[in-house]
Amino acid sequence: YNVEPEREPDDKIFKLLNMSKWWYFLIGSAHVALIPYMMLYFKTELNYTEAEIGFLSAIRPWLSSAAMFAGTAIADAFNIHRQMLVGTLLLSTLLRGAVFVSGGGISAAMLAVAAEVTGSPVVPFVDSMAMQISEQSGTSYGDQRMWTSIAWGVFAIVAGLALDHFGFQANFAIYMVLSVPLLWVTMQL
């Protein structure tokens, strides 16, 4: 069979390859600091019942799936992928941060669901871009995407220690602080 020789990526492609690696690393780092702990936060800090947590845990993926399809369809229809990526990332980040200052009750649940819904098309947008860049440069998409796993593995330890020693406010803070360079890198894509 015919194997194409590896091509050297030009400067723009090389920059995008590096930026996508950083993006995956930062999204993994930020998310592992907060996402796995959200339901624990709702139970221990906001005193949600097990039934309320169960409902919240069940409804988020259903709504997020529909929103992911709708968000990517809107971006395709109006050719506004970059604007949708930046807007949904920014909005979902702010909504997750707002959960911490919401005071609990139904507003915290609504903010958490809204964050999941608005953030659902973010990763598919970047995945699509990373696959295109990888194809153009002759590199592996997996070489880009693996940085989320690396970040998740490294920062899971940091997030767990932060929670144990400083409480949930540390996890929200880590998430928000890491979201700043994440947003900057997103704007470079």
Side-chain angles (χ1 to χ4, degrees):
Y1 53 86
N2 189 6
V3 176
E4 287 186 35
E6 272 196 40
R7 297 169 281 173
E8 286 294 318
D10 64 25
D11 288 342
K12 181 179 179 186
I13 297 292
F14 185 75
K15 177 188 173 197
L16 288 172
L17 286 168
N18 284 330
M19 285 293 132
S20 71
K21 288 175 184 174
W22 274 109
W23 190 91
Y24 284 119
F25 185 81
L26 289 167
I27 195 88
S29 302
H31 278 194
V32 77
L34 188 59
I35 305 298
Y37 302 106
M38 285 297 277
M39 293 303 104
L40 183 61
Y41 175 73
F42 275 83
K43 181 169 178 50
T44 61
E45 300 297 312
L46 302 182
N47 299 314
Y48 274 50
T49 66
E50 290 178 10
E52 290 168 331
I53 290 171
F55 178 76
L56 190 55
S57 296
I59 195 77
R60 288 181 350 190
W62 284 97
L63 295 175
S64 294
S65 294
M68 180 178 50
F69 288 118
T72 54
I74 291 167
D76 288 343
F78 296 101
N79 196 25
I80 54 170
H81 300 91
R82 182 179 171 79
Q83 295 91 333
M84 289 283 292
L85 170 61
V86 172
T88 56
L89 177 62
L90 181 60
L91 185 56
S92 64
T93 300
L94 294 173
L95 289 167
R96 282 191 187 100
V99 169
F100 185 69
V101 296
S102 70
I106 191 73
S107 62
M110 290 172 60
L111 288 166
V113 169
E116 293 298 318
V117 167
T118 58
S120 62
V122 169
V123 173
F125 285 140
V126 177
D127 283 345
S128 176
M129 185 246 1
M131 284 187 265
Q132 289 174 3
I133 298 168
S134 296
E135 186 177 297
Q136 290 172 6
S137 65
T139 60
S140 167
Y141 164 69
D143 288 347
Q144 307 304 307
R145 197 64 165 87
M146 77 174 179
W147 288 96
T148 300
S149 299
I150 292 169
W152 197 274
V154 171
F155 276 88
I157 297 166
V158 173
L161 290 171
L163 179 61
D164 282 348
H165 293 287
F166 305 107
F168 287 103
Q169 65 272 13
N171 292 75
F172 277 94
I174 291 168
Y175 172 79
M176 296 304 288
V177 166
L178 288 171
S179 293
V180 172
L182 174 62
L183 185 59
W184 181 84
V185 169
T186 302
M187 295 170 67
Q188 306 307 305
L189 295 174

